[in-house]
Amino acid sequence: MSEITIVPAGLRDCAVSWPDYAPVDVTPEELLPRALEREVPFWAEGAATPDAVTDWAQRQAAALVPFQLDAQGWPLHPAGRTGLTGRNLGRWGENVAADPIVIAGTGSDRRILLGTRDDIHQEAIPGGMVDTHTGETAPAALVRELREETGVDLRDHQPVILGTGLVDDWRQTDHAWVASTFALYVLPATVAATAADDALDTTWYPAGSMAALESAIAAAGRTLYAAHRPLIARALAGAALITAA
């Protein structure tokens, strides 16, 4: 990932004047204007800049996390400046994701299903983007992403929706970010899982506690994706309450 411009806490709010702000453009080659003129990737919209997007009112109305447009009509990250600009995601503005967190067992025998992401090679929740092109819903995306990345089919299981919110995704910029629906599946025992799609590996890690999980990941010579740490901690607490009921 490109080096970012460090944003002091007092200047994160876009409403605060910062004349010298110089965010780093992280737009990959395939999303640059000249590339989009030749071919639009299947996972992306064809708008080279936010000016070409015509449905901002609808996007704002449907957003999981409210956001505003600046004076030139560009979407602004709800959490403020990121130090990055351009687009390294499929859509300008909010990119909607679904993150299924699967936990099996109870107490010290509890396990959590994580996958090794092929983009950053870190252990993460096996989630992904909602297919907004087809009108896919978040509940449907939870099932699809889990099945595609791990081979685990939980279509007959009812998850607990933990909430929605911003994800501190490494691809986010001032004008494109990720907001997700976080859901918890609690199983009595682990089930067979096989890595597929954009997961390099799939593992049931010990998760009796957050400390136990992080120790197990470190012992395997791997790293937990920092953006998913608070989601996993919340899910572990939720699973403990469910299994204790």
Side-chain angles (χ1 to χ4, degrees), residues 14-31:
C14 296
V16 176
S17 177
W18 187 2
D20 297 328
Y21 179 50
V24 177
D25 194 325
V26 294
T27 305
E29 176 65 31
E30 63 267 29
L31 294 181

Side-chain angles (χ1 to χ4, degrees), residues 171-193:
R171 296 162 294 181
Q172 69 184 346
T173 71
D174 289 357
H175 306 297
W177 58 90
V178 177
S180 182
T181 295
F182 318 121
L184 169 63
Y185 291 89
V186 178
L187 307 181
T190 60
V191 297

Side-chain angles (χ1 to χ4, degrees), residues 4-56:
I4 69 172
T5 296
I6 301 301
V7 180
L11 294 176
R12 191 160 176 81
D13 188 338
C14 296
V16 176
S17 177
W18 187 2
D20 297 328
Y21 179 50
V24 177
D25 194 325
V26 294
T27 305
E29 176 65 31
E30 63 267 29
L31 294 181
L32 292 175
R34 60 179 179 274
L36 291 173
E37 289 178 0
R38 296 191 302 269
E39 180 183 9
V40 178
F42 74 91
W43 48 269
E45 65 181 347
T49 67
D51 306 85
V53 176
T54 60
D55 63 344
W56 282 120

Side-chain angles (χ1 to χ4, degrees), residues 124-137:
I125 298 165
M129 296 300 174
V130 176
D131 190 351
T132 54
H133 298 295
T134 64
E136 183 180 47
T137 63

Side-chain angles (χ1 to χ4, degrees), residues 149-165:
E149 295 199 13
T150 70
V152 175
D153 191 342
L154 296 184
R155 74 181 77 182
D156 295 328
H157 291 68
Q158 185 65 36
V160 175
I161 303 300
L162 298 175
T164 59

Side-chain angles (χ1 to χ4, degrees), residues 75-143:
L76 294 174
H77 195 303
R81 296 182 174 106
T82 64
L84 303 173
T85 190
R87 173 169 63 115
N88 197 10
L89 289 160
R91 287 159 59 93
W92 292 102
E94 184 178 272
N95 290 258
V96 184
D99 287 302
I101 306 169
V102 185
I103 294 175
T106 60
S108 59
D109 293 327
R110 190 167 55 186
R111 297 288 187 273
I112 186 170
L113 184 61
L114 299 179
T116 307
R117 289 178 53 148
D118 66 354
D119 54 358
I120 55 175
H121 296 255
Q122 295 181 359
E123 305 306 281
I125 298 165
M129 296 300 174
V130 176
D131 190 351
T132 54
H133 298 295
T134 64
E136 183 180 47
T137 63
L142 288 166
V143 173

